[in-house]
């Protein structure tokens, strides 16, 4: 079903790719209209998700319009194969760990979770993807600034760095169209918890 501008609050974000097909970012439908108007969109995937009604031609009076697709590839700079490490945010971290405390296995809301450093920063640990896990407040408090073997705790899964496609899925979870998720999922790493 194609939305119209009248119900724009329900329009999902558009997945922008570079010309080679690598995911770049999520963009709003308004930004996407500008990309189409500037003739930067070179190919699209999926069905249109929005139809923008334009004005009427001054030559023949016919109405104009534009269909916006959920995935658009744009001309311009090609992203490097290694886009670097995605930024570590609590939203993305909790999504990576599926909103589960990796010590006691409780599934919790974002507001009930904390970021725990497996090797505490006070003990030389870093604030990086491969040293951070989602933890409930109780487990984080119990662990404190100790190492796992010092407090008798174990991780249920190892922390890992998500690739950029997985990161895009993590920061837009719950609002991703099926074809967008299918596209991103093809690039997820073997360790991805979003594959299961």
């Amino acid at each position: 079903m194609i939305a119209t501008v009248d119900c724009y609050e329900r329009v999902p974000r558009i997945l922008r790719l570079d010309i080679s097909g690598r995911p770049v970012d999520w963009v709003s439908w308004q930004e996407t209209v500008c990309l189409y108007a500037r003739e930067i969109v070179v190919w699209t995937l999926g069905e249109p998700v929005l139809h923008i009604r334009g004005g009427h031609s001054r030559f023949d009076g016919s109405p104009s319009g534009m269909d916006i697709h959920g995935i658009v590839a744009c001309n311009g700079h090609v992203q490097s194969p290694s886009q670097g490490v995605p930024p570590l945010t609590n939203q993305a971290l909790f999504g990576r760990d599926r909103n589960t405390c990796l010590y006691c296995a409780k599934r919790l809301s974002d507001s009930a979770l904390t970021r725990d450093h497996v090797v505490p920063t006070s003990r030389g640990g870093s604030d990086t993807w491969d040293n951070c896990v989602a933890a409930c407040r109780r487990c984080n408090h119990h662990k404190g600034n100790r190492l796992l073997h010092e407090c008798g705790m174990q991780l249920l899964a190892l922390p890992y760095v998500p690739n950029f496609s997985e990161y895009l899925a993590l920061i837009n979870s719950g609002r991703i169209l099926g074809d967008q998720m299918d596209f991103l999922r093809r690039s997820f790493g073997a360790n991805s918890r979003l594959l299961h």
Side-chain angles (χ1 to χ4, degrees):
M1 179 179 156
I2 299 177
T4 61
V5 175
D6 302 336
C7 57
Y8 67 88
E9 67 276 353
R10 290 177 285 189
V11 176
R13 294 171 75 190
I14 308 303
L15 180 60
R16 181 179 177 176
L17 314 175
D18 67 16
I19 195 166
S20 71
R22 285 192 182 94
V24 175
D25 201 1
W26 295 105
V27 292
S28 68
W29 67 266
Q30 296 94 328
E31 292 170 301
T32 308
V33 167
C34 292
L35 295 173
Y36 275 94
R38 291 173 36 212
E39 297 181 354
I40 295 174
V41 175
V42 290
W43 53 272
T44 63
L45 287 174
E47 297 295 319
V49 296
L50 176 66
H51 179 77
I52 304 292
R53 290 187 296 262
H56 294 275
S57 169
R58 63 182 171 149
F59 300 111
D60 63 7
S62 62
S64 64
M66 180 184 299
D67 285 335
I68 306 298
H69 291 76
I71 303 171
V72 298
C74 298
N75 208 353
H77 177 70
V78 175
Q79 297 295 312
S80 66
S82 170
Q83 294 171 313
V85 176
L88 175 61
T89 64
N90 282 351
Q91 176 193 8
L93 175 70
F94 300 159
R96 180 201 70 182
D97 294 344
R98 304 194 56 130
N99 280 77
T100 302
C101 173
L102 288 192
Y103 297 114
C104 70
K106 286 183 186 170
R107 286 197 60 124
L108 301 162
S109 66
D110 282 6
S111 61
L113 288 169
T114 62
R115 180 188 306 189
D116 180 64
H117 298 87
V118 178
V119 176
T121 54
S122 63
R123 308 270 299 262
S126 57
D127 191 34
T128 57
W129 283 101
D130 52 3
N131 188 48
C132 291
V133 296
C136 69
R137 295 181 194 287
R138 182 180 166 275
C139 288
N140 198 341
H141 180 73
H142 174 72
K143 181 176 170 286
N145 71 341
R146 297 178 291 176
L147 299 174
L148 294 176
H149 71 276
E150 295 173 347
C151 57
M153 296 176 79
Q154 293 183 5
L155 282 171
L156 300 174
L158 294 175
Y160 68 94
V161 180
N163 66 29
F164 199 72
S165 291
E166 186 176 359
Y167 173 74
L168 287 175
L170 291 169
I171 64 170
N172 197 27
S173 62
R175 298 175 297 200
I176 300 176
L177 298 172
D179 56 352
Q180 293 171 331
M181 190 60 162
D182 290 343
F183 184 87
L184 290 172
R185 190 176 281 126
R186 287 185 225 136
S187 301
F188 287 179
N191 294 332
S192 176
R193 294 189 187 115
L194 295 180
L195 289 173
H196 310 291

